[in-house]
Amino acid sequence: MKYTYKRAAYWLFIFILLSLVPLIVALTGNIPGYRGFWTELGVALGFLGFGMLGLQFVFSGRFRKIAPTYGMDNILQFHRETGIFAVIFVLAHPVINLISNPEFLEYLDPGVNFMRAIALYFVSAFLVLILATSLWRIMFRLDYERWRLVHGFLSLAILFIGTVHAIQVSHYLEPFWKKAVIGASFLTYGYLVLHTRLVRPCFNTKKPYRVVSGNRERGDCWTLKVEPAGHKRLDYICGQFVWITIGPTPFSLQQHPFSIASSARDKTLSFTTKETGDFTSSWKNVKPGTKVFLEGPFGSFVPEKGHNLFLIMGGIGITPAMGMLRTMRDSQDPRSAVLIYANTDWEGVTFREELDVISKEINLKVIHLLEKPPEGWKGETGLVTRDLLKKHMPDNPEKSMFFICGPNPMMDIAEISLRELGIDWRLIYSERFEII
Ligand SMILES: Cc1cc2nc3c(=O)[nH]c(=O)nc-3n(C[C@H](O)[C@H](O)[C@H](O)COP(=O)(O)OP(=O)(O)OC[C@H]3O[C@@H](n4cnc5c(N)ncnc54)[C@H](O)[C@@H]3O)c2cc1C
């Protein structure tokens, strides 16, 4: 899917509009008397933060209407950044109000209203906790799965207490329909969570896949090949990815994103991983016949018709490129492709033999880049640099799409270098495996 200014503006407009819904509701119809700039600002930030927080459930919920537009990594990055602002706005609401008008201190007095005071203490603690665990997950020694569970629980609890608080205080929410809209917003966002965590896996139980084989690859990688068990294989475009659950049920905390590395023409799907943690290390023990569940496809890391391909891949980042190149081979695609493939050493170059064969079957030029080359190596050495990309740039770069996938530092350099070399941002596509 091609990036465009129009689509970016459209989604930004929708985001701003939906974020403002609670504030617009509060300011519609009869509004109470003015209580001074700081108090009203504090209240406005509360409503705005509430709207932005609710929308985070849309971004993190892997909705396929939204996900393909900008790529999962970009959407999660957006979620991360706007989520931080949402939490800061919600936190600013009590801080500004308490400083501007000490009468609000009674909200925190359990002697005046026990439930209200306790709820406000809890929500403040939850807000600080969600911010801290999102920014410093590793420091808190939370693995990704546990963090995701805590994160979901905290977000829902914050939104629930915020809804009850706004309805209870009711200052801007008279008459009743305003309370109904705020309540309905909470229920909608709550349903999105249910949809992602329960409804979707429920549908998925009917479409299991079965492991056909597991194979070791160069570079300490492992490939799992899976086939649909009694149903049609999911439709996807090469370069896309799916969320994988391995085991008897899709209801699992261990659901991870993986690029589809096989050709879109294959009946089976294959995924290749490099061991990084508990899930990826478990692949080598997965026996043929084991059930697997796939959710997707997702991703906008896909080549458009009529464009040549310029692929800048590092290490295990090769997987989406393998999907593209294998599909080009199987469909006798006449387009040209350049692959700059960065690795530490020659022995660890995953799929190097197959790439050699594919480069003879289609119009593919593979440029291996090694950090630690063997003796007598005549190819490129070192890391990805602007000069290296310039050297291998196609004659008509505007006719190419540029795909980047690999370790984050490599991706940062490649993205900046391509922009410095004058490549239009709408032609540059990145897939980040390391989200946080
Ligand atoms: C779009 C996309 C495509 C990917 N394709 C591949 C691929 O083809 N091959 C491959 O080896 N790796 C791929 N990854 C990375 C892979 O998902 C992680 O390496 C894997 O989830 C790590 O899990 P773990 O338990 O083994 O390691 P952990 O040590 O638990 O996690 C290592 C890191 O992986 C990420 N991660 C872990 N769990 C999840 C999760 N449930 N959802 C999102 N991110 C998570 C986090 O950034 C975490 O810090 C892809 C990632 C993304 C986002």
Side-chain angles (χ1 to χ4, degrees):
M1 170 129 10
K2 253 178 119 179
Y3 295 157
T4 62
Y5 283 114
K6 207 168 137 194
R7 197 173 302 125
Y10 172 77
W11 282 111
L12 199 61
F13 174 73
I14 298 277
F15 173 74
I16 292 172
L17 189 71
L18 290 178
S19 300
L20 288 174
V21 164
L23 194 58
I24 293 170
V25 168
L27 296 177
T28 305
N30 288 342
I31 53 170
Y34 182 65
R35 295 173 295 176
F37 173 77
W38 289 105
T39 300
E40 300 303 349
L41 176 72
V43 174
L45 286 177
F47 278 115
L48 178 64
F50 179 84
M52 285 173 71
L53 211 58
L55 273 181
Q56 303 308 320
F57 291 97
V58 180
F59 297 126
S60 55
R62 305 181 215 145
F63 292 96
R64 284 175 60 191
K65 280 260 177 320
I66 301 171
T69 311
Y70 281 101
M72 188 56 82
D73 55 344
N74 288 332
I75 287 174
L76 287 183
Q77 189 62 26
F78 189 69
H79 161 56
R80 191 175 154 81
E81 280 159 17
T82 54
I84 290 172
F85 277 104
V87 170
I88 290 173
F89 288 164
V90 176
L91 270 174
H93 162 59
V95 172
I96 294 178
N97 283 57
L98 287 174
I99 293 173
S100 66
N101 186 352
E103 278 179 21
F104 285 119
L105 274 171
E106 77 165 45
Y107 279 64
L108 297 177
D109 184 352
V112 177
N113 184 332
F114 182 77
M115 283 308 287
R116 181 177 70 187
I118 294 299
L120 292 182
Y121 282 121
F122 266 105
V123 79
S124 310
F126 288 173
L127 282 162
V128 173
L129 212 57
I130 202 169
L131 199 60
T133 50
S134 301
L135 291 176
W136 304 294
R137 172 176 72 83
I138 311 271
M139 214 176 77
F140 279 89
R141 293 171 193 267
L142 273 176
D143 61 42
Y144 195 86
E145 291 75 35
R146 228 165 296 167
W147 168 78
R148 211 167 53 167
L149 194 68
V150 170
H151 192 74
F153 167 77
L154 290 175
S155 331
L156 262 185
I158 291 167
L159 214 61
F160 175 70
I161 299 175
T163 307
V164 174
H165 170 70
I167 290 176
Q168 249 184 1
V169 173
S170 189
H171 191 69
Y172 274 95
L173 297 184
E174 291 292 355
F176 177 76
W177 71 264
K178 292 191 179 187
K179 294 189 185 78
V181 174
I182 297 294
S185 310
F186 171 73
L187 291 178
T188 309
Y189 294 132
Y191 175 72
L192 294 184
V193 179
L194 277 185
H195 187 89
T196 307
R197 300 285 164 227
L198 291 177
V199 179
R200 228 180 285 152
C202 228
F203 281 119
N204 233 356
T205 49
K206 297 193 183 96
K207 295 195 170 173
Y209 285 74
R210 203 171 23 224
V211 172
V212 180
S213 62
N215 287 311
R216 183 168 291 288
E217 309 282 358
R218 280 186 184 279
D220 294 326
C221 289
W222 196 266
T223 295
L224 281 186
K225 195 182 258 196
V226 305
E227 64 180 5
H231 56 90
K232 203 171 148 266
R233 197 209 69 188
L234 61 84
D235 253 349
Y236 69 94
I237 310 173
C238 58
Q240 286 191 299
F241 71 94
V242 293
W243 291 78
I244 301 185
T245 314
I246 300 179
T249 163
F251 293 93
S252 168
L253 278 181
Q254 291 282 6
Q255 199 190 21
H256 297 254
F258 282 88
S259 298
I260 306 170
S262 45
S263 158
R265 298 236 159 173
D266 275 0
K267 288 199 180 74
T268 53
L269 295 165
S270 78
F271 305 95
T272 299
T273 194
K274 195 175 177 81
E275 287 185 23
T276 46
D278 49 349
F279 184 72
T280 43
S281 309
S282 72
W283 282 33
K284 56 182 178 293
N285 302 320
V286 176
K287 300 268 176 298
T290 305
K291 265 190 185 177
V292 169
F293 293 90
L294 308 179
E295 185 188 320
F298 294 102
S300 53
F301 200 69
V302 296
E304 290 273 318
K305 281 201 179 96
H307 285 80
N308 296 321
L309 274 60
F310 193 91
L311 309 161
I312 307 161
M313 307 288 152
I316 191 61
I318 190 68
T319 52
M322 287 311 291
M324 294 176 196
L325 296 173
R326 285 166 168 163
T327 306
M328 283 177 79
R329 173 200 61 201
D330 291 350
S331 49
Q332 287 301 303
D333 195 323
R335 288 179 294 172
S336 78
V338 174
L339 167 65
I340 294 184
Y341 188 15
N343 279 286
T344 310
D345 56 49
W346 185 233
E347 283 314 304
V349 180
T350 316
F351 302 124
R352 96 176 184 214
E353 289 82 0
E354 187 180 347
L355 283 169
D356 192 32
V357 174
I358 297 179
S359 67
K360 295 186 178 96
E361 294 171 332
I362 61 171
N363 189 359
L364 165 69
K365 183 174 167 199
V366 181
I367 296 132
H368 288 286
L369 172 67
L370 297 178
E371 224 179 312
K372 295 177 186 161
E375 226 167 276
W377 173 255
K378 294 204 173 59
E380 299 289 357
T381 57
L383 301 171
V384 170
T385 59
R386 191 173 72 146
D387 288 345
L388 177 92
L389 299 182
K390 191 175 174 190
K391 183 172 160 194
H392 297 285
M393 193 57 61
D395 290 340
N396 298 312
E398 65 286 351
K399 292 202 173 123
S400 292
M401 287 176 84
F402 296 80
F403 294 92
I404 309 169
C405 187
N408 278 343
M410 183 210 90
M411 296 189 63
D412 294 341
I413 288 176
E415 283 170 4
I416 294 168
S417 303
L418 288 177
R419 297 290 288 129
E420 284 174 357
L421 291 169
I423 306 300
D424 189 322
W425 68 274
R426 287 167 293 184
L427 296 172
I428 304 173
Y429 289 70
S430 296
E431 188 84 281
R432 285 183 189 262
F433 285 2
E434 303 158 48
I435 303 173
I436 8 174

